[in-house]
Amino acid sequence: PTTFRFKPTTSLPPCECCHRSRARRQPAPSASARQPRVLAEIHFDLFFIQGDILLYLVDRASRMEWGYFLERKNDVKLAIQQFIIDCNQSEYEICSLITPSSSTLDVDAIRTELQSKGLNQNIRMFYSDNAGEHIDSELTTMLFDLYIDQAFAVVESQHQNGLAEHAGGWSLMK
């Protein structure tokens, strides 16, 4: 029939699957109250400002922001390595260990530096868009060796990558 209407007093038998699984209608779960630790989740993105390349990083918990100006897009992996060093030894002089000028990453140098000062590696997750400018097998291996996960959003999705896109990245360009 094109139109099918029930009377208010009509009672239909329950759905067999719902009845067997004892499914009940429930309200949607409330928003998550879980707050990450400081430096546990870092969002980052690349911005191109009047010919300069900026690697913009923001901490999800504290909204602390860092910016690294790069000479080439390929330097993202070295800037991330330097960021890991800088933020994990923030109680010491920043940049006291500087990444080598070569284009190779040195996980052992990071571990040795942090162990010599009795520090732990605090970063647990890097979030970024999936634009591909930072995806590198050497960087992926380094993050895996340091027990840092990576999560990728849809390219140019303000909803998924909004923290890096709007928490300061676009305001830097203004």
Side-chain angles (χ1 to χ4, degrees), residues 46 48 53 70-77 131-134:
L46 280 180
F48 301 92
I53 303 170
L70 310 175
E71 292 180 19
R72 298 175 308 273
K73 283 175 37 176
N74 197 27
D75 291 340
V76 170
K77 57 186 176 184
E133 64 263 3
H134 61 277

Side-chain angles (χ1 to χ4, degrees), residues 32-91:
S32 174
R34 181 186 74 83
Q35 290 295 322
R37 291 188 347 258
V38 174
L39 293 176
E41 295 180 7
I42 305 294
H43 294 250
F44 73 92
D45 203 357
L46 280 180
F47 292 96
F48 301 92
I49 306 168
Q50 298 177 353
D52 292 329
I53 303 170
L54 172 69
L55 174 65
Y56 174 76
L57 302 111
V58 61
D59 177 33
R60 181 176 168 205
S62 68
R63 299 297 199 257
M64 184 71 179
E65 302 170 356
W66 294 267
Y68 290 85
F69 283 95
L70 310 175
E71 292 180 19
R72 298 175 308 273
K73 283 175 37 176
N74 197 27
D75 291 340
V76 170
K77 57 186 176 184
L78 293 175
I80 289 177
Q81 178 179 347
Q82 186 63 50
F83 170 74
I84 292 169
I85 294 165
D86 289 346
C87 71
N88 281 311
Q89 60 179 4
S90 60
E91 56 197 69

Side-chain angles (χ1 to χ4, degrees), residues 101-117:
S101 60
S102 68
S103 62
T104 60
L105 302 176
D106 193 359
V107 177
D108 295 330
I110 296 173
R111 285 187 182 150
T112 304
E113 180 72 15
L114 295 177
Q115 286 175 356
S116 69
K117 295 181 179 179

